Amino acid sequence: MEISVLQTARYAYKPKLPPAFLKPVAAIQTSLGKPTESAGDQEELKRIFPLTYGKPIAGFRAGKNPEALKKINVGVILSGGQAPGGHNVIAGLLDGIKKGNPGSKLFGFLGGPSGLLKNAALEITPRLIDQYRNTGGFDIIGSGRAKIETPDQFALALKNARDMDLRALVIIGGDDSNTNAALLAEYFASRGSDIQVIGVPKTIDGDLKNEYIETSFGFDTAVKTYSELIGNIARDANSARKYWHFIKLMGLAASHICLECALQTQPNVALISEEVEEKKQTLARIVENICDVIALRASRGLDFGIVLVPEGLVEFIPEMKKLISALSDLLAHQASTFAVLPSLDDQIRFVTENLEPESREVFSGLPHGIKRQLLMDRDPHGNVQVSRIETEQLLTAMTEAKIKEMKDSGAFKGTYTTLSHFLGYEGRSAFPSNFDADYCYSLGYTAFLLIAGGLTGYISAVRNLAHPAKDWTPGGIPLTMMMNLEQRHGSKKPVIKKALVDLKGRPFKAFAAKREKWARETLYLYPGAIQYYGPAAVADQPTKTIILERGSVKAPQAAAAKKSAVKVKPAKEKKPAAGGSAAGKGSKKAAAKKAK
Ligand code: FBP
């Protein structure tokens, strides 16, 4: 099989490791702290997890651990959406297992959690993993979104794990999958099984994080891939000076991706869903705000710009959230009537007639294409699939209508042409950045050390990530510690708390402090493609989010980045060669003159 030059080179890349990993595995012991409490609802969670609740945080120290040398079988599952680095988690896990005992085996369940239920597994040998080291995707064993939910499924999972004589099961997934890992750990223990369950924090969305999990893997590579593309589009926009680009970015609920990309590229507008919700901004207000920036730039002769839109935005806009929930209810309750309506127009009429007045008004005001998406793209439970709504197109259509109004009334003098983009799948299976390659390998190796330490119901955690890998601290966090109860499908369920963008946090504050300047002027940054080789300041930088959240002034990574950053004075907005309008400071006067 032919493979690319970069792929060949990446096979040989050796992830950078915390020094603890260089010791023989039988010389590493777990060190346990004090019992812990869950993030909320302690009493209820103690009842739900009587055997695994409140375990101590685990670290590692030098000491004898003959258990690590035992011959064992381990199962691994990749769960949910792809995230760069998944193969390296498996590589780190396998290398740890084989270091313990070359006769130990790692089995990968095929196609996600359903592989465990179907007993569909593949042995991951050193030879096989060598074809996947430091590469993106989850194609080594595939992934899936199935959940292990019913009592029968739990029993089947245990039976199959026992039949394969597993000592442990490693679940690589997001908040839901790690919640599932916690439930499985408790279930196995409650049935007298000593099969251990260890989770690994994965998701490009970056919303599986807390005081102890500094970031989920994949976020770093995904945001760098999107930022490269946004930078390229921005440079094109700044060259052609005729388009406003609306770029929707993946990241289902939280806006971490959008925020990080904004910090990396300095767009004219970046919407942050969490802020929209807190300020209770209506769709009309959001459109007005964007149009204010478009008009301001037009008054300076800048008829182009970049707007970043987080994927989950519509669910954070109060009236849209209400509409989506009303639609989901209506379509669920009237499923049979709705199903026989012959055309989209009939469906739109039916929905309009049956919605409450407030939601009816919102629905009626939406462009036809968005109405279609709201009615047609629904999940198997009848819920509207928010991620499929083309918010970027909704915003281009609505800003175009608003700018036309402004033009008609003489309030807008420029030209306004839009283009829309969606960046999502482009980043989920990219070659992992050095950060993700290193971090993921460490997460996998840590998972093995937690297994060798006899622990269950833990998530693999590697901390101090704003610093170089030699200063990282591996350990394990009890899954119950990250949990609380939340309303899901009509009843309270234990879940790992999703981390949304903290509006009081440093990344958001850094963005908020600069955004007006970015709106007015053209200060785009062009991060370029991820670099896999070269100086650490270029190739090993973590995200700005990590540096802002976890770095201190002394953090070497942050300091190195600052030192190596070339300060370039932004070029003054200048008059386009021909036919364009003047821009920059001096152009304000010109624009005002023109307006007169
Ligand atoms: P995970 O939470 O499973 O990591 O997936 C997140 C995500 O990548 C979202 O950003 C996106 O909305 C969704 O998956 C897309 O899912 P699918 O792959 O099923 O289209």
Side-chain angles (χ1 to χ4, degrees), residues 80-81 145 202-205 250-252 311 387 425 428:
R145 291 198 181 276
K202 172 236 67 164
T203 176
I204 61 158
D205 295 2
M250 214 179 227
L252 191 52
E311 184 177 30
S387 66
Y425 299 94
R428 288 203 320 185

PDB file of all heavy atoms in Angstrom, residues 80-81 145 202-205 250-252 311 387 425 428, ligand 1:
ATOM      1  N   GLY A  80     -17.846   7.727  20.119  1.00  0.00           N
ATOM      2  CA  GLY A  80     -18.277   9.066  19.695  1.00  0.00           C
ATOM      3  C   GLY A  80     -17.504   9.593  18.505  1.00  0.00           C
ATOM      4  O   GLY A  80     -16.907   8.833  17.740  1.00  0.00           O
ATOM      5  N   GLY A  81     -17.508  10.924  18.362  1.00  0.00           N
ATOM      6  CA  GLY A  81     -16.888  11.565  17.204  1.00  0.00           C
ATOM      7  C   GLY A  81     -15.373  11.412  17.207  1.00  0.00           C
ATOM      8  O   GLY A  81     -14.748  11.331  18.260  1.00  0.00           O
ATOM      9  N   ARG A 145     -21.606   5.694  18.239  1.00  0.00           N
ATOM     10  CA  ARG A 145     -22.276   6.475  19.267  1.00  0.00           C
ATOM     11  C   ARG A 145     -23.271   5.654  20.094  1.00  0.00           C
ATOM     12  O   ARG A 145     -24.070   6.213  20.842  1.00  0.00           O
ATOM     13  CB  ARG A 145     -22.998   7.663  18.634  1.00  0.00           C
ATOM     14  CG  ARG A 145     -22.050   8.723  18.070  1.00  0.00           C
ATOM     15  CD  ARG A 145     -22.761  10.040  17.847  1.00  0.00           C
ATOM     16  NE  ARG A 145     -21.862  11.038  17.292  1.00  0.00           N
ATOM     17  CZ  ARG A 145     -21.041  11.800  18.012  1.00  0.00           C
ATOM     18  NH1 ARG A 145     -21.025  11.679  19.321  1.00  0.00           N
ATOM     19  NH2 ARG A 145     -20.262  12.685  17.432  1.00  0.00           N
ATOM     20  N   LYS A 202     -11.772  12.431  25.644  1.00  0.00           N
ATOM     21  CA  LYS A 202     -11.676  12.728  24.212  1.00  0.00           C
ATOM     22  C   LYS A 202     -12.799  13.649  23.777  1.00  0.00           C
ATOM     23  O   LYS A 202     -13.930  13.470  24.226  1.00  0.00           O
ATOM     24  CB  LYS A 202     -11.784  11.411  23.436  1.00  0.00           C
ATOM     25  CG  LYS A 202     -11.886  11.543  21.966  1.00  0.00           C
ATOM     26  CD  LYS A 202     -13.133  10.860  21.366  1.00  0.00           C
ATOM     27  CE  LYS A 202     -14.429  11.506  21.750  1.00  0.00           C
ATOM     28  NZ  LYS A 202     -15.584  11.132  20.946  1.00  0.00           N
ATOM     29  N   THR A 203     -12.584  14.623  23.007  1.00  0.00           N
ATOM     30  CA  THR A 203     -13.548  15.336  22.174  1.00  0.00           C
ATOM     31  C   THR A 203     -12.910  16.612  21.656  1.00  0.00           C
ATOM     32  O   THR A 203     -12.278  17.352  22.426  1.00  0.00           O
ATOM     33  CB  THR A 203     -14.895  15.688  22.870  1.00  0.00           C
ATOM     34  OG1 THR A 203     -15.677  16.457  21.948  1.00  0.00           O
ATOM     35  CG2 THR A 203     -14.775  16.477  24.156  1.00  0.00           C
ATOM     36  N   ILE A 204     -13.074  16.841  20.354  1.00  0.00           N
ATOM     37  CA  ILE A 204     -12.525  18.082  19.789  1.00  0.00           C
ATOM     38  C   ILE A 204     -13.248  19.283  20.389  1.00  0.00           C
ATOM     39  O   ILE A 204     -12.724  20.382  20.394  1.00  0.00           O
ATOM     40  CB  ILE A 204     -12.647  18.139  18.243  1.00  0.00           C
ATOM     41  CG1 ILE A 204     -14.101  18.086  17.788  1.00  0.00           C
ATOM     42  CG2 ILE A 204     -11.816  17.062  17.585  1.00  0.00           C
ATOM     43  CD1 ILE A 204     -14.321  18.658  16.398  1.00  0.00           C
ATOM     44  N   ASP A 205     -14.477  19.069  20.888  1.00  0.00           N
ATOM     45  CA  ASP A 205     -15.290  20.196  21.374  1.00  0.00           C
ATOM     46  C   ASP A 205     -14.656  20.895  22.576  1.00  0.00           C
ATOM     47  O   ASP A 205     -14.991  22.037  22.882  1.00  0.00           O
ATOM     48  CB  ASP A 205     -16.691  19.718  21.761  1.00  0.00           C
ATOM     49  CG  ASP A 205     -17.468  19.210  20.558  1.00  0.00           C
ATOM     50  OD1 ASP A 205     -16.903  19.207  19.455  1.00  0.00           O
ATOM     51  OD2 ASP A 205     -18.627  18.807  20.727  1.00  0.00           O
ATOM     52  N   MET A 250     -17.388  23.643  14.100  1.00  0.00           N
ATOM     53  CA  MET A 250     -17.914  22.525  14.879  1.00  0.00           C
ATOM     54  C   MET A 250     -17.665  22.737  16.374  1.00  0.00           C
ATOM     55  O   MET A 250     -16.779  23.502  16.759  1.00  0.00           O
ATOM     56  CB  MET A 250     -17.221  21.249  14.430  1.00  0.00           C
ATOM     57  CG  MET A 250     -18.112  20.047  14.496  1.00  0.00           C
ATOM     58  SD  MET A 250     -17.230  18.592  13.913  1.00  0.00           S
ATOM     59  CE  MET A 250     -18.445  17.899  12.834  1.00  0.00           C
ATOM     60  N   GLY A 251     -18.420  22.014  17.163  1.00  0.00           N
ATOM     61  CA  GLY A 251     -18.326  22.135  18.626  1.00  0.00           C
ATOM     62  C   GLY A 251     -19.747  22.237  19.119  1.00  0.00           C
ATOM     63  O   GLY A 251     -20.264  23.331  19.305  1.00  0.00           O
ATOM     64  N   LEU A 252     -20.356  21.098  19.285  1.00  0.00           N
ATOM     65  CA  LEU A 252     -21.807  21.012  19.400  1.00  0.00           C
ATOM     66  C   LEU A 252     -22.437  21.980  20.392  1.00  0.00           C
ATOM     67  O   LEU A 252     -23.305  22.760  20.028  1.00  0.00           O
ATOM     68  CB  LEU A 252     -22.198  19.570  19.726  1.00  0.00           C
ATOM     69  CG  LEU A 252     -23.680  19.276  19.606  1.00  0.00           C
ATOM     70  CD1 LEU A 252     -24.209  19.730  18.258  1.00  0.00           C
ATOM     71  CD2 LEU A 252     -23.948  17.809  19.810  1.00  0.00           C
ATOM     72  N   GLU A 311     -21.088  26.233  16.311  1.00  0.00           N
ATOM     73  CA  GLU A 311     -22.089  25.293  15.793  1.00  0.00           C
ATOM     74  C   GLU A 311     -23.400  25.293  16.584  1.00  0.00           C
ATOM     75  O   GLU A 311     -24.477  25.227  16.032  1.00  0.00           O
ATOM     76  CB  GLU A 311     -21.478  23.883  15.826  1.00  0.00           C
ATOM     77  CG  GLU A 311     -22.352  22.804  15.233  1.00  0.00           C
ATOM     78  CD  GLU A 311     -21.665  21.433  15.238  1.00  0.00           C
ATOM     79  OE1 GLU A 311     -20.835  21.166  16.123  1.00  0.00           O
ATOM     80  OE2 GLU A 311     -21.983  20.639  14.354  1.00  0.00           O
ATOM     81  N   SER A 387     -27.146  20.483  15.160  1.00  0.00           N
ATOM     82  CA  SER A 387     -25.865  20.588  14.462  1.00  0.00           C
ATOM     83  C   SER A 387     -26.037  20.641  12.947  1.00  0.00           C
ATOM     84  O   SER A 387     -25.139  21.046  12.230  1.00  0.00           O
ATOM     85  CB  SER A 387     -24.957  19.422  14.841  1.00  0.00           C
ATOM     86  OG  SER A 387     -25.506  18.227  14.368  1.00  0.00           O
ATOM     87  N   TYR A 425     -15.583  18.495   9.932  1.00  0.00           N
ATOM     88  CA  TYR A 425     -14.956  17.189   9.700  1.00  0.00           C
ATOM     89  C   TYR A 425     -13.503  17.348   9.225  1.00  0.00           C
ATOM     90  O   TYR A 425     -12.708  16.436   9.381  1.00  0.00           O
ATOM     91  CB  TYR A 425     -15.804  16.380   8.711  1.00  0.00           C
ATOM     92  CG  TYR A 425     -17.185  16.140   9.280  1.00  0.00           C
ATOM     93  CD1 TYR A 425     -18.244  16.988   8.984  1.00  0.00           C
ATOM     94  CD2 TYR A 425     -17.403  15.112  10.192  1.00  0.00           C
ATOM     95  CE1 TYR A 425     -19.494  16.812   9.557  1.00  0.00           C
ATOM     96  CE2 TYR A 425     -18.644  14.919  10.766  1.00  0.00           C
ATOM     97  CZ  TYR A 425     -19.687  15.782  10.449  1.00  0.00           C
ATOM     98  OH  TYR A 425     -20.910  15.604  11.046  1.00  0.00           O
ATOM     99  N   ARG A 428     -11.321  16.823  12.394  1.00  0.00           N
ATOM    100  CA  ARG A 428     -11.503  15.754  13.394  1.00  0.00           C
ATOM    101  C   ARG A 428     -10.549  14.584  13.223  1.00  0.00           C
ATOM    102  O   ARG A 428     -10.360  13.805  14.157  1.00  0.00           O
ATOM    103  CB  ARG A 428     -12.942  15.229  13.345  1.00  0.00           C
ATOM    104  CG  ARG A 428     -13.930  16.198  13.906  1.00  0.00           C
ATOM    105  CD  ARG A 428     -15.181  15.539  14.375  1.00  0.00           C
ATOM    106  NE  ARG A 428     -15.655  14.475  13.530  1.00  0.00           N
ATOM    107  CZ  ARG A 428     -16.792  13.839  13.712  1.00  0.00           C
ATOM    108  NH1 ARG A 428     -17.568  14.179  14.721  1.00  0.00           N
ATOM    109  NH2 ARG A 428     -17.177  12.883  12.913  1.00  0.00           N
TER     110      ARG A 428
HETATM  111  P1  FBP B   1     -17.944  13.939  20.501  1.00  0.00           P
HETATM  112  O1  FBP B   1     -18.599  14.760  21.561  1.00  0.00           O
HETATM  113  O2  FBP B   1     -18.401  12.549  20.450  1.00  0.00           O
HETATM  114  O3  FBP B   1     -16.450  14.028  20.586  1.00  0.00           O
HETATM  115  O4  FBP B   1     -18.327  14.551  19.086  1.00  0.00           O
HETATM  116  C1  FBP B   1     -18.402  15.930  18.913  1.00  0.00           C
HETATM  117  C2  FBP B   1     -18.657  16.308  17.488  1.00  0.00           C
HETATM  118  O5  FBP B   1     -17.470  16.300  16.744  1.00  0.00           O
HETATM  119  C3  FBP B   1     -19.345  17.660  17.457  1.00  0.00           C
HETATM  120  O6  FBP B   1     -18.458  18.709  17.411  1.00  0.00           O
HETATM  121  C4  FBP B   1     -20.239  17.531  16.260  1.00  0.00           C
HETATM  122  O7  FBP B   1     -21.378  18.317  16.350  1.00  0.00           O
HETATM  123  C5  FBP B   1     -20.626  16.082  16.280  1.00  0.00           C
HETATM  124  O8  FBP B   1     -19.564  15.406  16.865  1.00  0.00           O
HETATM  125  C6  FBP B   1     -20.897  15.529  14.912  1.00  0.00           C
HETATM  126  O9  FBP B   1     -21.280  14.209  15.035  1.00  0.00           O
HETATM  127  P2  FBP B   1     -21.317  13.148  13.870  1.00  0.00           P
HETATM  128  O10 FBP B   1     -19.941  12.629  13.709  1.00  0.00           O
HETATM  129  O11 FBP B   1     -22.225  12.098  14.380  1.00  0.00           O
HETATM  130  O12 FBP B   1     -21.782  13.832  12.642  1.00  0.00           O
END
